[in-house]
Amino acid sequence: MSISAVKGFRDGLGPAACVSRQIEDAAAGVLRGYGFDEIRLPILERTELFARAIGETTDIVEKEMYTFEDRDGTLITLRPEGTASVVRALVEHHLDQKDPITRLYYTGPMFRHERPQKGRHRQFYQVGAELFGREDPLADAEVLACARDVLDAVGVRGARMLINSLGDGACRPAYRDALQAWGIARRDRLCKNCARRVDKNPLRLLDCKDPKCREATADAPLLKDHLCGECDDHFARVRSLLDALGVAYEVDPRLVRGLDYYVRTTFEITADGLGAVAAVGAGGRYDGLVAQLGGPKISGIGFAFGVDRLALALEAAQPGAEDRAAESLAPAVFIAVLGADAEAEALALARKLRRLGTRVELDGGRSLKSLMRRADRLGAGRVLIVGEEEVAARRGTLRDMIEKRDDKLAVDFDLDGEALLLAVGVEP
Ligand code: HAM
């Protein structure tokens, strides 16, 4: 009996893998331009790290983490997100001592035991960026502009950036209490989930998806009316910088996040093509997190995009991304080897071309007709035939697959570099 992948875990095949890689490369290019250095994070961390950083009462920590005992009894977790790990690394390696401002980006798989659906998987990929040591609104505006530039570079058009301020330690506790009291007084009108979480995590009442519950909380108190002066000023400055930059956003006063570490500016980016899950990316400020995880008192802000969701949004914005990727996977040259005597020459030629950066498929041991059929199926631009006659003449025969025409003994085996590329008809 064959074995299939675990539910919610997928293989990234051919063109789909190619699109994911293109998205990651485009995003990384933008992030490097913004001064972020790559950090390669471990996939496993101590469970305690996520419990403390993300929050004990969040859905992620309560229900979604892949947690198990290591052989020595340590509780470990497959990372559900990257921010906690970046903060751990910053503290562990005292990165702030080299430069008080640190910019790091990462890509890779994250794991959450959620109900799989379109755009939601148990192993999914993120590309994320974190900026430490800057409390000023300029940093928020820079990070938000950077997120927009990532979307542009990837090719996702028409995304909406929703932003809100979640206040800070000075103003949020009083608001939280007010919202909780408001919710408890209306518990019977809330959905089952919110009736329960109003006790532990009342802010989540605001982003419940249940239509009835949304209606019940339509006139709930909002944080924007409870922000302290400093948070209010900070948020106003962020918005005016974004306006000046021409970075489009919408203020969503009901935006809250499923991770507890956020303060002040938070945001979510939504795009078409994602079905029920709308967010392609999200982020925000987390000024207390570094100290909370045992580090110095430095602020942080960042975001992460879901690569799988960016791929869906890209497909909606510019249909055919996978077809275009499939085209790029076609070999530029297909070398058809006819007979054992031709093998060494054919292999040497293929290697020369490959070392020049050309994608070459090499195949032999069958009739020319069957090799041609395969070259056609792969979408190869050209076939270079290397058989007995070609070896004797030290020149290969080139077949133009579009014109279906042979150029007898056209490619001199001793050519190299640009001359060889030109001879096989590949742009140098
Ligand atoms: P998050 O909102 O939990 O934030 O995830 C960020 C993005 O990851 C989401 O917007 C979504 O595109 C993608 N994502 C999340 N869960 C799944 C899933 N099950 N399947 C597919 N894609 C998913 C964070 O993770 C924060 N660490 C972001 C951040 C960085 N905040 C500050 N710095």
Side-chain angles (χ1 to χ4, degrees), residues 54-66 80 111-114 120 193-194 196-197 200-201 204 207-209 257-260:
I54 300 170
E56 296 276 5
T57 62
T58 57
D59 283 352
I60 296 179
V61 172
E62 269 189 353
K63 309 191 273 215
E64 296 170 2
M65 295 205 304
Y66 282 90
F111 305 84
R112 296 184 195 175
H113 196 284
E114 292 190 84
R120 184 185 288 146
N193 195 16
C194 285
R196 186 184 57 85
R197 61 187 178 181
K200 288 205 245 161
N201 206 342
R204 294 307 301 276
D207 75 343
C208 182
K209 303 283 177 282
R257 305 269 300 122
L259 302 95
D260 282 353

Coordinates of all heavy atoms in Angstrom, one line a residue, residues 54-66 80 111-114 120 193-194 196-197 200-201 204 207-209 257-260:
I54 N 3.5 34.5 22.1 CA 2.3 34.7 21.4 C 1.1 34.8 22.3 O 0.1 35.5 22.0 CB 2.0 33.4 20.4 CG1 3.2 33.4 19.4 CG2 0.7 33.5 19.7 CD1 3.2 32.1 18.6
G55 N 1.2 34.2 23.5 CA 0.2 34.4 24.5 C -0.5 33.0 24.8 O -1.0 32.4 23.9
E56 N -0.6 32.7 26.1 CA -1.2 31.4 26.5 C -2.7 31.2 26.0 O -3.1 30.1 25.8 CB -1.2 31.3 28.0 CG 0.2 31.3 28.6 CD 0.8 29.9 28.6 OE1 0.2 28.9 28.1 OE2 1.9 29.7 29.2
T57 N -3.4 32.3 25.9 CA -4.8 32.2 25.6 C -5.2 32.4 24.2 O -6.3 32.5 23.8 CB -5.7 33.2 26.5 OG1 -5.3 34.5 26.1 CG2 -5.5 33.0 28.0
T58 N -4.2 32.5 23.3 CA -4.4 32.6 21.9 C -4.8 31.3 21.3 O -4.4 30.2 21.8 CB -3.2 33.2 21.1 OG1 -2.1 32.3 21.4 CG2 -2.8 34.6 21.7
D59 N -5.5 31.3 20.1 CA -5.9 30.1 19.4 C -4.6 29.3 19.1 O -4.6 28.1 19.2 CB -6.6 30.4 18.1 CG -8.1 30.8 18.4 OD1 -8.5 30.7 19.6 OD2 -8.8 31.3 17.5
I60 N -3.6 30.1 18.6 CA -2.4 29.4 18.2 C -1.8 28.5 19.3 O -1.5 27.3 19.1 CB -1.3 30.4 17.7 CG1 -1.8 31.2 16.5 CG2 0.0 29.7 17.4 CD1 -0.8 32.2 15.9
V61 N -1.6 29.1 20.5 CA -1.0 28.4 21.6 C -2.0 27.4 22.2 O -1.6 26.2 22.5 CB -0.5 29.4 22.6 CG1 0.0 28.6 23.9 CG2 0.7 30.2 22.0
E62 N -3.2 27.7 22.3 CA -4.2 26.8 22.9 C -4.5 25.6 22.0 O -4.7 24.5 22.5 CB -5.5 27.5 23.1 CG -5.6 28.2 24.5 CD -7.0 28.7 24.8 OE1 -7.9 28.7 23.9 OE2 -7.3 29.2 25.9
K63 N -4.6 25.8 20.7 CA -5.1 24.7 19.9 C -4.3 24.3 18.7 O -4.5 23.3 18.1 CB -6.5 25.1 19.3 CG -7.5 25.6 20.3 CD -8.9 25.7 19.7 CE -9.1 27.1 19.0 NZ -10.4 27.6 19.1
E64 N -3.4 25.1 18.3 CA -2.8 24.9 16.9 C -1.4 24.5 16.8 O -0.9 24.2 15.8 CB -3.0 26.2 16.1 CG -4.5 26.5 15.8 CD -4.7 27.9 15.2 OE1 -3.7 28.6 14.9 OE2 -5.9 28.3 15.1
M65 N -0.7 24.4 18.0 CA 0.7 24.1 17.9 C 1.0 22.6 17.8 O 0.3 21.8 18.4 CB 1.5 24.7 19.1 CG 1.4 26.2 19.0 SD 2.7 27.1 19.9 CE 2.7 26.3 21.5
Y66 N 2.0 22.3 17.0 CA 2.5 20.9 17.0 C 3.6 20.8 18.1 O 4.7 21.2 17.9 CB 3.1 20.6 15.6 CG 2.1 20.3 14.6 CD1 1.6 21.4 13.8 CD2 1.6 19.0 14.4 CE1 0.6 21.1 12.9 CE2 0.7 18.8 13.4 CZ 0.2 19.8 12.7 OH -0.8 19.6 11.7
P80 N 5.1 28.0 14.9 CA 3.9 28.4 14.2 C 4.0 29.8 13.5 O 3.2 30.2 12.8 CB 2.9 28.5 15.4 CG 3.7 28.8 16.6 CD 5.1 28.2 16.4
F111 N 4.1 26.0 11.0 CA 3.2 24.9 11.3 C 2.0 25.3 12.2 O 2.3 25.7 13.3 CB 3.9 23.7 11.8 CG 5.1 23.3 11.0 CD1 6.4 24.0 11.1 CD2 5.0 22.3 10.0 CE1 7.4 23.6 10.3 CE2 6.1 22.0 9.2 CZ 7.3 22.6 9.3
R112 N 0.8 25.1 11.8 CA -0.3 25.3 12.7 C -1.4 24.3 12.4 O -1.7 24.1 11.2 CB -0.9 26.7 12.4 CG 0.0 27.9 12.7 CD -0.7 29.2 12.6 NE 0.4 30.3 12.6 CZ 0.1 31.6 12.4 NH1 -1.1 32.0 12.2 NH2 1.1 32.4 12.4
H113 N -1.9 23.7 13.4 CA -2.9 22.7 13.3 C -4.3 23.3 13.1 O -5.1 23.4 14.0 CB -2.9 21.7 14.5 CG -3.6 20.4 14.2 ND1 -5.0 20.4 14.2 CD2 -3.2 19.2 13.9 CE1 -5.3 19.1 13.9 NE2 -4.3 18.4 13.7
E114 N -4.5 23.9 11.9 CA -5.8 24.5 11.6 C -6.6 23.6 10.7 O -6.1 22.7 10.2 CB -5.5 25.9 10.9 CG -4.9 26.9 11.8 CD -4.8 28.3 11.1 OE1 -5.9 29.0 11.2 OE2 -3.8 28.6 10.5
R120 N -5.3 27.8 3.4 CA -5.0 27.5 4.8 C -4.4 26.1 4.9 O -5.1 25.1 4.6 CB -6.2 27.7 5.7 CG -5.8 27.5 7.2 CD -7.0 27.5 8.1 NE -7.5 28.8 8.3 CZ -8.8 29.1 8.4 NH1 -9.7 28.1 8.5 NH2 -9.2 30.3 8.6
N193 N -18.2 30.8 21.0 CA -16.7 31.0 21.1 C -16.4 32.3 21.8 O -15.6 32.4 22.7 CB -16.1 31.0 19.7 CG -14.6 30.8 19.7 OD1 -14.0 30.4 20.8 ND2 -14.0 31.1 18.6
C194 N -17.2 33.4 21.4 CA -16.9 34.7 22.0 C -17.4 34.7 23.5 O -16.8 35.4 24.3 CB -17.5 35.8 21.2 SG -16.6 36.1 19.7
R196 N -17.2 32.5 25.5 CA -16.1 31.9 26.3 C -14.9 32.9 26.4 O -14.4 33.1 27.4 CB -15.8 30.6 25.7 CG -14.8 29.7 26.4 CD -14.4 28.5 25.7 NE -13.9 28.8 24.3 CZ -12.6 29.1 24.1 NH1 -11.7 29.1 25.1 NH2 -12.2 29.4 22.9
R197 N -14.6 33.4 25.2 CA -13.3 34.1 25.2 C -13.4 35.6 25.8 O -12.4 36.2 26.0 CB -12.6 34.1 23.9 CG -13.3 34.7 22.7 CD -12.5 34.4 21.5 NE -13.1 34.9 20.3 CZ -12.7 34.7 19.0 NH1 -11.5 34.1 18.8 NH2 -13.3 35.2 18.0
K200 N -11.3 35.7 28.8 CA -9.8 35.6 28.7 C -9.2 36.6 27.7 O -8.1 37.1 28.0 CB -9.4 34.2 28.4 CG -9.6 33.2 29.5 CD -8.7 32.0 29.3 CE -9.5 30.7 29.0 NZ -8.7 29.7 28.4
N201 N -9.9 36.7 26.6 CA -9.3 37.5 25.5 C -10.3 38.4 24.8 O -10.6 38.2 23.7 CB -8.6 36.5 24.5 CG -7.5 37.1 23.7 OD1 -7.4 38.3 23.7 ND2 -6.7 36.3 23.1
R204 N -10.7 39.8 21.1 CA -11.0 39.0 19.9 C -12.5 39.1 19.6 O -12.9 38.6 18.5 CB -10.6 37.5 20.2 CG -9.1 37.3 20.3 CD -8.3 37.9 19.1 NE -8.7 37.3 17.8 CZ -8.2 36.2 17.3 NH1 -7.3 35.5 17.9 NH2 -8.6 35.8 16.1
D207 N -13.0 40.7 16.1 CA -12.8 40.1 14.8 C -13.5 38.8 14.6 O -13.0 38.0 13.8 CB -11.3 40.1 14.4 CG -10.5 39.0 15.2 OD1 -11.0 38.5 16.2 OD2 -9.4 38.7 14.7
C208 N -14.6 38.5 15.4 CA -15.3 37.3 15.2 C -15.9 37.3 13.8 O -16.4 38.4 13.3 CB -16.4 37.2 16.2 SG -17.3 35.7 16.1
K209 N -15.9 36.1 13.1 CA -16.5 36.1 11.8 C -18.0 35.7 11.7 O -18.6 35.9 10.7 CB -15.7 35.0 11.0 CG -14.2 35.2 10.9 CD -13.8 36.3 9.9 CE -12.3 36.6 9.9 NZ -11.8 37.4 11.0
R257 N -5.5 41.4 16.5 CA -4.8 40.3 16.0 C -4.8 39.1 16.9 O -5.1 39.2 18.0 CB -3.3 40.7 15.8 CG -3.2 42.0 14.9 CD -3.0 41.7 13.4 NE -1.8 40.9 13.2 CZ -1.8 39.7 12.7 NH1 -2.9 39.1 12.2 NH2 -0.7 39.0 12.5
G258 N -4.5 37.9 16.3 CA -4.6 36.7 17.0 C -3.3 36.4 17.8 O -3.2 35.3 18.3
L259 N -2.4 37.3 17.9 CA -1.2 37.1 18.7 C -1.2 38.3 19.7 O -1.5 39.4 19.4 CB 0.0 37.1 17.8 CG 0.1 36.1 16.7 CD1 -0.4 36.7 15.4 CD2 1.5 35.6 16.5
D260 N -0.7 37.9 20.9 CA -0.9 38.9 22.0 C 0.2 40.0 22.1 O 0.1 40.9 22.8 CB -0.9 38.2 23.4 CG -2.2 37.6 23.7 OD1 -3.2 37.8 22.9 OD2 -2.3 36.8 24.7

